[in-house]
Amino acid sequence: MNYVKTAVFILITAMVLSLVLSYTSIMTIVKTSKERTERVLKSFVTENSTLIYNSIKNGNDFTSSLNENYFIANYLSDGTLDYDGSYLYNKNNEGGTIYRLTMPQTTFTVANTLNLTCSYNLQIPITFTGRTVTELIIPIKVKTSFNLKSG
C-alpha cells in the first residue's frame, strides 16, 4: 500500500511540474511575440517619422502604408520565423509547429500622440504523447504610443 501512495505522489508531482513548464514556455512565446511586434511598429515609425507627421498634420491617414509585406519582412528579420502565405510560424527541429501567428491588423488613433495598435492571434498547439490534442489561441494586442512634436 505504501508503494501506491508513493507512485501517486510522484505522478501528481510530475503532472504539476509539467504544467508549470508548459505555462512558462507559453508565456515566453507570448512575451517574445509582443516584443517583436513592438519592435516592428517602432521600426516603422522611426523609418517614416517625417512622412507620418506631415500626413497627420494635413489630416490624412498614413498608417495604411504599414502593410502586410512590411510587417512580415521586419518580423522575419531575425531569422527565427518562416512565412507560408497565411501565417508566420516557428518550427522545431523535427518539423513540428511550435507556434503560429495570424496576419496582424494595425490601427491607429491621433490625439497629440500617434497610437498604433497591432492585433493578431497567437496559436500554440497543445500536444500529448507526440500528437496535437488542441490548439491554444491567444489574442494578442500590442499598443505603442509616440508623441507628435513639431520640429
Side-chain angles (χ1 to χ4, degrees):
M1 190 65 173
N2 228 1
Y3 297 110
V4 175
K5 288 180 183 178
T6 303
V8 169
F9 176 74
I10 290 173
L11 182 62
I12 290 172
T13 304
M15 291 173 73
V16 169
L17 181 61
S18 174
L19 286 173
V20 168
L21 293 175
S22 295
Y23 177 78
T24 303
S25 174
I26 289 170
M27 292 312 295
T28 301
I29 291 170
V30 168
K31 181 180 176 191
T32 302
S33 170
K34 284 182 174 183
E35 288 172 351
R36 286 182 180 158
T37 303
E38 193 170 315
R39 178 182 48 90
V40 169
L41 293 174
K42 287 180 179 179
S43 171
F44 174 76
V45 171
T46 301
E47 290 177 17
N48 298 290
S49 60
T50 304
L51 294 172
I52 291 171
Y53 178 76
N54 289 335
S55 179
I56 291 172
K57 190 169 70 173
N58 293 326
N60 298 322
D61 175 4
F62 183 82
T63 57
S64 61
S65 297
L66 180 56
N67 63 19
E68 194 173 286
N69 292 331
Y70 180 90
F71 189 91
I72 292 167
N74 280 285
Y75 206 89
L76 297 176
S77 66
D78 64 4
T80 59
L81 295 177
D82 293 315
Y83 178 63
D84 69 359
S86 300
Y87 295 96
L88 296 166
Y89 62 91
N90 191 345
K91 295 212 177 250
N92 59 21
N93 293 337
E94 292 83 36
T97 301
I98 297 173
Y99 65 92
R100 298 185 306 171
L101 291 119
T102 58
M103 284 297 100
Q105 302 297 317
T106 305
T107 58
F108 83 105
T109 58
V110 179
N112 295 328
T113 59
L114 172 63
N115 300 303
L116 291 172
T117 303
C118 188
S119 303
Y120 55 91
N121 288 329
L122 181 63
Q123 302 171 343
I124 303 172
I126 304 299
T127 58
F128 180 72
T129 66
R131 295 181 186 219
T132 301
V133 177
T134 187
E135 200 166 67
L136 179 63
I137 298 174
I138 304 170
I140 303 287
K141 186 178 279 189
V142 178
K143 297 179 182 181
T144 56
S145 298
F146 303 94
N147 291 328
L148 299 176
K149 297 179 181 178
S150 57

